Amino acid sequence: MNEKIVLVDENDREIGTEEKLKAHKDGKLHRAFSIFIFNSKGEMLLQKRAKNKYHSGGLWTNACCSHPRPNERLEDAIHRRLKEEMGFDCELKKVLHFIYKVKFDNNLTEHEFDHVFVGIYDGEVKPNPEEVEDFKWINTEELIKDIQTNEKRYTYWFNIALPKVLKFMGKLD
């Protein structure tokens, strides 16, 4: 894992780059993105992260999460990773951003300036098995009920972003 990520300040201004694992060991704030995909029935696409991921493996989350590479436009990174992880691409719209920080049991810290995008897609999903253990389309009401009783089955950032995205989509008051 020699991949580099973009370090940012609290205003998302680039302040440098760092090797991905080192940035997560040191808990440095870095640029990231989360993609939420809905189908025309209003269902949300979830992925179960591959167990071998460096953190949060085996947990359910939104369709795609990742980091842009140094000198890569965020708009290019979101489409690249959606294709790499889920095997498709679609139009995406930025709807919000937020900062969060969480320390995991394996001494890694996720400290992200997370840009959140939403898309609509009804085609075939072909997930990359190195990234994704499983996927499913789920009704948002059913999802909310499951999170209320099984919060630990879902990634930390997903639990933060989901209510914000659903409010934006008009599915939550």
Side-chain angles (χ1 to χ4, degrees), residues 125-163:
V125 179
K126 296 180 187 173
N128 177 345
E130 293 178 20
E131 299 284 342
V132 180
E133 181 181 319
D134 198 4
F135 75 95
K136 65 182 173 182
W137 292 98
I138 189 168
N139 173 287
T140 54
E141 290 82 16
E142 183 183 330
L143 174 60
I144 291 167
K145 285 179 190 168
D146 191 54
I147 290 172
Q148 289 170 346
T149 56
N150 301 297
E151 182 181 15
K152 295 195 183 309
R153 286 187 191 168
Y154 298 88
T155 62
Y156 183 85
W157 61 89
F158 181 69
N159 285 321
I160 295 170
L162 178 64

Side-chain angles (χ1 to χ4, degrees), residues 20-46:
K20 183 175 168 181
L21 194 55
K22 182 166 179 10
H24 288 88
K25 284 180 180 174
D26 297 343
K28 292 184 178 175
L29 182 61
H30 56 276
R31 187 172 292 146
F33 57 86
S34 294
I35 300 171
F36 286 72
I37 301 294
F38 294 85
N39 64 21
S40 59
K41 295 185 240 173
E43 297 169 322
M44 182 185 294
L45 177 62
L46 297 183

Side-chain angles (χ1 to χ4, degrees), residues 87-138:
F88 71 88
D89 194 14
C90 65
E91 186 176 328
L92 298 168
K93 176 181 180 179
K94 182 172 179 192
V95 296
L96 60 104
H97 63 265
F98 65 99
I99 295 174
Y100 74 95
K101 186 174 186 178
V102 60
K103 187 171 178 103
F104 297 107
D105 292 341
N106 63 0
N107 290 320
L108 295 180
T109 299
E110 195 66 281
H111 190 192
E112 293 189 334
F113 190 107
D114 195 3
H115 297 264
V116 180
F117 294 82
V118 171
I120 307 294
Y121 181 74
D122 283 313
E124 188 177 0
V125 179
K126 296 180 187 173
N128 177 345
E130 293 178 20
E131 299 284 342
V132 180
E133 181 181 319
D134 198 4
F135 75 95
K136 65 182 173 182
W137 292 98
I138 189 168

Side-chain angles (χ1 to χ4, degrees), residues 23-81:
H24 288 88
K25 284 180 180 174
D26 297 343
K28 292 184 178 175
L29 182 61
H30 56 276
R31 187 172 292 146
F33 57 86
S34 294
I35 300 171
F36 286 72
I37 301 294
F38 294 85
N39 64 21
S40 59
K41 295 185 240 173
E43 297 169 322
M44 182 185 294
L45 177 62
L46 297 183
Q47 72 150 277
K48 189 173 190 181
R49 290 169 59 90
K51 283 188 175 64
N52 64 349
K53 298 292 276 187
Y54 62 106
H55 70 72
S56 305
L59 298 180
W60 288 98
T61 196
N62 45 287
C64 179
C65 318
S66 193
H67 312 93
R69 295 173 176 151
N71 302 312
E72 181 181 34
R73 292 179 341 121
L74 187 58
E75 293 74 19
D76 296 331
I78 59 177
H79 294 285
R80 173 182 56 81
R81 281 304 289 170

